[in-house]
Amino acid sequence: MSLAQKSEHQHGRISFANSNSNESNPPDYEAVDVLGPRGPQDGGLSVLSVDMCVADNRKDHYTDKYKNSSLIVRRNKEFTIIIKLNRAFSAEQDNVQLEFMIGNSPYVNKGTYITVSIGKEKRDGRWNGRVIGTQDTEVTVGITPDARCIIGRFRTFVAVVTDLGKQRTQRNPDTDLYVLFNPWDPADQVYMDKEEDIQEYVMNDVGNIYDGDFNNITSFSWNFGQFEEGVLDACLMIMDAGKVPLMYRGNATQVVRQASALLNSQDDKGVMVGNWSGDYSGGTAPTAWTGSPEILLKYVNKGYEPVRFAQCWVFAGVMNTFMRGLGIPTRAITTFRSAVDNTGNLKTDIVLDEDGKLDRSRTKDSVWNFHCWNEVYMKRPDLPDNFSGWQVIDCTPQETSDGLYRCGPTSVNAIKEGELSYPFDAKFVFAEINSDLIYYKADKYGKLKIISVNTVYVGKLILTKKKDSSEYEDITSNYKYPEGVDIELQADTIKIGDNFKLTLNIKNQTSQTCTISVVITGCAAFYTGITSTTFMFENQSATVEASKSESDTSVSVKLFIILRSSYKALRNSTKIVNGLGHSVIIISLHKSLLVLYVINDLQMTGSPRVGKELMVSVEFLNPYNFTLKKVQLRIDGPGLTQTKLKQYSQILPGASVIYKVLLIPQSLGKKVLMACLDCPLLRQVTNQLEFEVVQDENINEQSVILGTR
């Protein structure tokens, strides 16, 4: 059973046929018997067929990319239906109604039961209708859903109204239509005035998400796949499963707020289970996913069982798909050095014990190397006009809002201006990028003393994908005004198993010779700032003359695979014991490469063509002296293939694996093919190949090695 059929079954396949009903309050579907249509009496009018003109309408409504056989339209834009009757239609004598219904108990005053009248008793309603033309026994009708219409899947009926009642067409899933938000229309809440913005933030089905650290930005591709088969139905079914009231579904503000709760399972059995423990047994590691369709389809096909597991970039990628699929402009955002202010005081408090180690029992806040959320673009009728535009929305479960784990939407402009009283969750988002980082040292009695305050460490850089480009765009200035300049220590990228040397530069800016005692702590760290394995804890001292510098390069460490590779980085924390300062160095880990090939299956020349098979080969070489176990290799690409998964029990040191699959490109244009290898000892080795799908042009075999993580 397809998702569309499941959605149909979920809503009930109930017909109104030859039934008399109060059109203001039509009967509950479950109370109506399914009856066959009654033929015309005394030369009366009857409906023979209804043509939804799917192909033409979908092209006009920019919905032809959806892999769905039904009509999909956008709010406040006319679509056409052709009604075939048993005789010619007379506007002066006949009375015909088109009925559009959503939900199990449709009512006019709730916007879930829509009637559009044509003929002698034409009346104004929520949706507009007109007769475009007639030919023989066919009537072409134009229907325009209103700009605030509920989005979702509507059932369509055509009724002939006489003094004896209504003669309705039978329930027919082929005449169902989906109504989506319309970013092309100025009357819609999600309107964008630039076509290039709509193409990037609504129509683009693949994109980049950025991670790493402020000093070492990396990226990977993500398959949003909002047009893939079953994805639109999955998004609507998720709202049904989450019991989102239909009356909320015409309001973009409410839709995104509800979605920010529905996509995590923290308190409501939502789509994804967050996991930052490093133990991903019983599920899929967050680093192994390549896109959203696999996750969304798994959730609805497995009876709404939360999918295991996700971290912030997975939540952001799936949110992007969910929103773009419904027609809301959305983009994934990465903030580097993002604070989590669990105490609500707009400060990030880090407590060290008397030896200079992190006191985990007393440290409730944290600073993430990076954190991903989303922005959605919309008018906020509940806020002053200048706070419309981009809004922060975050479904990563961090803090509750109105009793549920969710965040937003909150205006980006309001965050920048420090206007934190407006809904929703502005104070929490403001703290994520503006908290003061305060280090405390506890003495042996537990008394705390402030040893360092950094007012510019948090919210260092905020990025998103640049329009029509694989490069990033710096949008930090959208969120905050320029801050002071600071100087940081940096470290090179290293490869797992390599030595690295830590250089500590100390500059004495006083007029006296100083002897400095330094505590150096080295540990593996999650990108969330939570530390784990400590591999170094040393005390160093140096004597520095007045106004001079001293460099200490005596610390050398051999990093081996004992570090759990779900950690994004090493963290070296250097504390000056006498209170002069505290600094943190992030050292990123370098991983191995995937090689991607695209080969014409039938001949060694020729380009990727619509409907023609291609052989894709992905090769991986294990460059390490240890065995990789429980390896997953995924191939993914919207418009090319559903996610393909290959599993290997082990890959020996120096061994290679080659995975070949057949692809059939389904549409023209630029495509992105992604591959991701993941295992407990080596996380998220990725690569991608970009190529053009054409009709009949020829190119030679392609082979590339692209940027990896």
Side-chain angles (χ1 to χ4, degrees), residues 49 82-85 87-89 133-140:
S49 65
I82 298 176
I83 304 170
K84 187 174 183 179
L85 305 168
R87 63 166 172 79
F89 173 74
T134 61
Q135 183 176 3
D136 298 328
T137 62
E138 294 184 344
V139 183
T140 301

Side-chain angles (χ1 to χ4, degrees), residues 16 59 66 280 329 412 577 708:
F16 286 140
K59 184 177 181 181
Y66 287 90
Y280 308 122
V412 172
V577 175
T708 59

Side-chain angles (χ1 to χ4, degrees), residues 540-676:
Q540 299 283 332
S541 62
T543 299
V544 188
E545 296 181 7
S547 303
K548 289 189 178 181
S549 298
E550 184 78 15
S551 295
D552 183 354
T553 61
S554 62
V555 180
S556 183
V557 178
K558 176 76 170 180
L559 171 67
F560 191 56
I561 200 63
I562 55 172
L563 294 179
R564 300 166 77 171
S565 59
S566 57
Y567 304 142
K568 294 289 184 180
L570 306 180
R571 180 180 295 270
N572 280 85
S573 178
T574 305
K575 187 180 82 67
I576 310 300
V577 175
N578 66 1
L580 292 179
H582 186 285
S583 62
V584 174
I585 306 172
I586 304 297
I587 305 174
S588 299
L589 304 181
H590 176 71
K591 298 178 182 176
S592 49
L593 301 178
L594 280 173
V595 182
L596 253 165
Y597 300 95
V598 172
I599 306 171
N600 189 297
D601 186 42
L602 302 178
Q603 30 183 315
M604 294 305 294
T605 60
S607 67
R609 292 177 292 171
V610 174
K612 300 295 182 181
E613 287 186 345
L614 291 173
M615 176 68 76
V616 175
S617 176
V618 181
E619 180 179 357
F620 171 77
L621 169 67
N622 179 5
Y624 302 111
N625 61 358
F626 49 85
T627 300
L628 302 177
K629 297 181 179 181
K630 298 181 180 179
V631 179
Q632 291 188 346
L633 177 57
R634 278 176 169 79
I635 295 177
D636 203 356
L640 295 170
T641 181
Q642 292 184 337
T643 306
K644 304 288 187 181
L645 172 62
K646 178 71 172 178
Q647 301 190 67
Y648 301 91
S649 60
Q650 64 179 21
I651 304 177
L652 297 174
S656 296
V657 293
I658 299 177
Y659 179 37
K660 295 182 179 181
V661 296
L662 284 175
L663 303 181
I664 302 178
Q666 301 163 21
S667 58
L668 296 172
K670 181 180 176 182
K671 304 297 177 185
V672 179
L673 184 67
M674 293 160 275
C676 178

Side-chain angles (χ1 to χ4, degrees), residues 64-76:
D64 50 324
K65 288 187 175 182
Y66 287 90
K67 294 180 177 64
N68 185 310
S69 60
S70 297
L71 175 59
I72 305 173
V73 301
R74 299 190 185 273
R75 303 196 301 189
N76 207 39

